[in-house]
Amino acid sequence: MNFRRIELIFLVTFIAIDIFLFGMFEQNTNQQADNMSDGDSDSQVVKEMRDDQIEVSHLSEKKNFAYYLSGTQNDILRQQMGQLANQTPHYVSHELESEFKEPVTVNKTTPQKSINQMLDDPTFVVNGGQYSYSKNLSTSRNLVYSQKAMGSSIYSSEAQISFTLNANHQIVSYTQSYLQDVKSLREKSETISETRALIWLYQYNEIPNNTKIAWTKLGYTKLLSIDNDRVFIPTWIIGIKPQNSPEIQLKKINAFTGGIIKETTGNLKDSQDLSDLTN
Amino acid sequence: MKFSRYLIPIALTIAVVVSLTLSVVLWTNPANYRSKQNSEQNPQTEQLSKPKSYVYTPIQAVHTNSDGTQEILVNRLVNAVTEIKKTMQGYHDAKIKTLSRDSQTKYLNIANRPDSIMLNYSSPVSIKVVNQIVNHRFKNFPNHTVNRIVLPTNNSTKLYLLNDKNFAVYQVSVQHHDLKSLNKVLDMNIRTIPASLRLFNKQPMVYVDDSVQMQPYKYLVDRQSQDYFVSRLMNNEESQNVTAKRRRNLLIYSDQNSLQLTFNSQTRMVEFSDYRTNKDQRAITSVLNNSYKDLVKLGLPLDNVRFFRYDTKTRTVMYRTFVEGFPIFRANGFGTISTRIMNSSAKRLNFSLDNPEVPIPSKRGYTTLPATEVVIRRLVARGYKTKDIQQMRIGYGWQKDKESQLLINLIPDWYIYYNNQWHSYTSLMNQY
């Protein structure tokens, strides 16, 4: 009888130990799952972003390749503007402003299609073939074309055409800027992925809550100017749209280093510190 | 009655077995917290540090045509070595055998094999290191020392590993090298410099056969702050209390115990000494592996930084930044980072706060550099001894820009390893 009681006590104790051990085991596996997802911390951060009411669509993890580019600002547009027909061009500080004598009618729903067909015409715009339509920068009354470079586009007011449309779907005028001799400064290198760029932007606290990532694009933006030369770096350009506003805010991330890029206009030779330029 | 008599013992046995099993599972479970700590590293540095296969990569590609003429492949829009490396990731059934040793003829036969691409390290490495760049397909190979890889462009099952020191030739059979993509690399827009592999001082060396046009570069400099390195390197659990002392140009941080960090405000060079016990390694594989760990810990951007040389005597590993496939030499022949094992209780890291970051268009015209033979002839005429010239290569010299401290000029020149130090050809010619 005594032995039976001892057995019973042992049984109860062991069941208690089992429950305890099982609890520990559970906890451990959870922790491991945590660690696993930490290893995949990118998706963790994206989840965090969604928790902060930031609307993100599917992001690409793919790494791209890009170059450092340079281009020269010169007066080539002025030299070539004589070839333009049906317009009165003016050349002011490296920019060609032109008004059409007879407005050019374009397609109602997709005006870019009509413009694409005319781009190669040297009497319409100078070097038009070197530009491509940039949907993200355009509005219904203002169509922006960016200068192409090494399989991508330059996002800069110094290398674009901006067409102004009237209410009757006609182009009334445009402004054009152009960089000559766009070339790579170094062999191509790997850039960070779209996901990484967005994560860093988020970790720099540059994405407010209650916003939507409208679009992301890998292009080239200006790093600095040295006299007439412009240096461009590959950049993840991210359009952020607040939930209750139609206006889109642009943010830029250096696609090589992951640093955030703020607007700078200064010439390198006037700067004392790199952070003035590349921060 | 009989059943209830056995119920408790059976239940007890089950309970004991379950608790034993759970205990064993819990103890043997690698539920370590370390991986958690690792992932808390600064994401930026994690991203910016390059993998081992990037740092320990060959630095030069030489193509031998079917008629036996050779040319160095120079990067223009693509990095030639990187593109070739990409074709070397899918080997199967790799087997190695020694073809010959101590035979210069056999060595040169393979090295100068028509229709091949030779990848050169600037200093010998072990096969374990080469294994990194071929996606670990050579992992079961004996750990010989090698410094060249020869990839035939018309034989998809063989490649060769060469060691200059003892003229050893190892043949690796694989299934199989994608020749189509390898040959495609040669069609990319790559600049070539006529060259030839010949013996110099009884050692193989790549000669540049003709005078060569080189483009000078201007670079924007990445200027790191001292604070960054103080917080990264002086962060030691054992001692919290870091002191700073100034002595003329030097600013010395010390944890009063085992770590010391010295900044030179004039040269912007940094020296980090670690007096904790280390494993005092000598074997090249472990030295390089350890050195790489130090590199990652340092947190300097490793963009275009490659392994340049391991000096077995001083146990110094030198890394250099490469431009267009050519190494940068600073004052005194220093590169970008060097790590050194002094003894079992002292390691040293040297690096600079300033490193090249963004290329800037340079207005300078091309510089013409003479052919290798001409350089040697002129040096000898100046009174230098041929036997003291250990190595020669084209490189870029680091020169401060007069207009802005953010810019540097990279001037092409020949670099000569003479009496255990790198000198520019211009400086050697200007001496005496």
Side-chain angles (χ1 to χ4, degrees), chain A residues 18 28 184-185 188 226 229 269, chain B residues 15 19 31 77 360 363 403:
Chain A
D18 282 354
N28 241 332
S184 83
L185 290 166
K188 70 175 178 189
I226 301 182
D229 287 319
K269 286 173 187 165
Chain B
S19 83
L77 289 181
I360 305 285
K363 291 280 182 275
E403 287 175 345

Side-chain angles (χ1 to χ4, degrees), chain B residues 28-251:
Chain B
T28 55
N29 203 346
N32 45 11
Y33 294 81
R34 214 172 300 147
S35 60
K36 186 143 198 170
Q37 275 171 1
N38 279 346
S39 64
E40 275 164 19
Q41 257 182 11
N42 184 352
Q44 189 119 355
T45 55
E46 208 178 296
Q47 181 73 27
L48 289 181
S49 70
K50 302 282 182 183
K52 238 186 241 175
S53 58
Y54 180 93
V55 177
Y56 296 121
T57 200
I59 56 157
Q60 186 186 56
V62 176
H63 176 222
T64 309
N65 291 300
S66 27
D67 62 357
T69 56
Q70 293 176 311
E71 58 208 8
I72 301 171
L73 306 179
V74 183
N75 306 336
R76 184 180 273 158
L77 289 181
V78 293
N79 185 316
V81 176
T82 309
E83 296 302 318
I84 294 165
K85 247 168 54 182
K86 276 188 206 158
T87 71
M88 301 167 66
Q89 305 298 306
Y91 296 152
H92 288 287
D93 303 325
K95 288 182 199 75
I96 188 168
K97 75 172 185 204
T98 310
L99 273 194
S100 67
R101 224 179 271 241
D102 301 315
S103 162
Q104 293 183 8
T105 339
K106 283 180 182 157
Y107 173 98
L108 287 173
N109 258 341
I110 295 295
N112 292 331
R113 181 192 191 277
D115 288 313
S116 71
I117 296 175
M118 178 164 64
L119 299 178
N120 297 329
Y121 278 97
S122 67
S123 163
V125 296
S126 62
I127 288 187
K128 286 258 182 311
V129 175
V130 177
N131 182 37
Q132 302 279 347
I133 68 160
V134 294
N135 199 13
H136 304 277
R137 299 304 163 111
F138 294 173
K139 62 172 172 254
N140 297 322
F141 285 9
N143 204 10
H144 299 301
T145 304
V146 296
N147 62 331
R148 297 181 202 277
I149 306 168
V150 175
L151 307 167
T153 52
N154 58 1
N155 182 342
S156 63
T157 57
K158 301 257 185 311
L159 58 111
Y160 304 91
L161 303 174
L162 311 179
N163 183 3
D164 285 4
K165 201 99 201 189
N166 58 5
F167 293 96
V169 178
Y170 306 100
Q171 178 186 292
V172 180
S173 2
V174 290
Q175 283 304 329
H176 63 267
H177 199 123
D178 183 2
L179 294 182
K180 217 172 165 187
S181 51
L182 185 65
N183 281 302
K184 215 187 258 171
V185 175
L186 294 172
D187 294 337
M188 291 175 177
N189 180 9
I190 291 175
R191 191 161 79 94
T192 57
I193 297 176
S196 56
L197 184 84
R198 285 185 252 165
L199 294 183
F200 172 73
N201 281 338
K202 293 179 187 154
Q203 277 292 299
M205 185 170 87
V206 176
Y207 276 63
V208 172
D209 286 345
D210 225 332
S211 60
V212 46
Q213 300 258 312
M214 295 285 292
Q215 196 195 340
Y217 276 91
K218 219 182 233 298
Y219 258 78
L220 186 67
V221 169
D222 168 45
R223 285 166 73 89
Q224 295 276 0
S225 75
Q226 297 185 354
D227 300 344
Y228 176 70
F229 293 107
V230 173
S231 66
R232 271 193 85 90
L233 299 173
M234 303 302 286
N235 213 341
N236 183 7
E237 285 162 16
E238 291 159 35
S239 46
Q240 298 295 324
N241 137 30
V242 175
T243 59
K245 251 188 275 172
R246 190 174 285 281
R247 211 180 290 154
R248 291 200 188 159
N249 288 330
L250 302 181
L251 180 59

Side-chain angles (χ1 to χ4, degrees), chain A residues 4 6-8 10-12 14-15 17-19 21-22 24-25 28-29 31-32 34-35 38-39 41 63 65 67-68 70 72 150 183-193 196 200 203-204 223-224 226 229-233 254 256-259 268-269 271-274 277-278, chain B residues 4-9 11-16 18-20 22-23 25-26 29-36 39-40 43-45 47-48 50 75-79 83 86 188 217-223 303-304 322-325 357-363 403-407:
Chain A
R4 216 182 142 80
I6 291 168
E7 268 185 333
L8 251 174
F10 265 79
L11 183 62
V12 171
F14 268 97
I15 287 173
I17 290 174
D18 282 354
I19 291 168
L21 284 177
F22 195 74
M24 242 170 103
F25 179 75
N28 241 332
T29 38
Q31 203 138 39
Q32 270 184 330
D34 267 5
N35 281 351
D38 263 3
S41 60
K63 289 175 178 168
F65 288 90
Y67 305 85
Y68 284 119
S70 77
T72 313
M150 309 293 291
K183 57 170 191 262
S184 83
L185 290 166
R186 206 181 71 181
E187 73 236 27
K188 70 175 178 189
S189 320
E190 200 172 61
T191 66
I192 59 171
S193 68
R196 271 276 124 206
W200 275 341
Q203 287 173 340
Y204 291 131
L223 174 71
L224 52 93
I226 301 182
D229 287 319
R230 305 285 176 267
V231 176
F232 293 90
I233 50 170
N254 182 328
F256 279 148
T257 66
L268 175 71
K269 286 173 187 165
S271 321
Q272 286 311 302
D273 201 335
L274 188 64
L277 295 154
T278 51
Chain B
S4 71
R5 220 174 75 202
Y6 290 112
L7 184 68
I8 294 176
L12 182 58
T13 317
I14 292 172
V16 170
V18 167
S19 83
L20 276 177
L22 280 173
S23 305
V25 168
L26 277 171
N29 203 346
N32 45 11
Y33 294 81
R34 214 172 300 147
S35 60
K36 186 143 198 170
S39 64
E40 275 164 19
Q44 189 119 355
T45 55
Q47 181 73 27
L48 289 181
K50 302 282 182 183
N75 306 336
R76 184 180 273 158
L77 289 181
V78 293
N79 185 316
E83 296 302 318
K86 276 188 206 158
M188 291 175 177
Y217 276 91
K218 219 182 233 298
Y219 258 78
L220 186 67
V221 169
D222 168 45
R223 285 166 73 89
D303 205 23
N304 279 332
F322 281 75
V323 172
E324 246 196 15
E357 192 187 8
V358 184
I360 305 285
S362 174
K363 291 280 182 275
E403 287 175 345
S404 167
Q405 58 169 356
L406 293 175
L407 294 177

Side-chain angles (χ1 to χ4, degrees), chain B residues 351-371:
Chain B
F351 56 97
S352 169
L353 292 172
D354 296 347
N355 287 290
E357 192 187 8
V358 184
I360 305 285
S362 174
K363 291 280 182 275
R364 285 173 190 239
Y366 279 76
T367 307
T368 307
L369 297 180

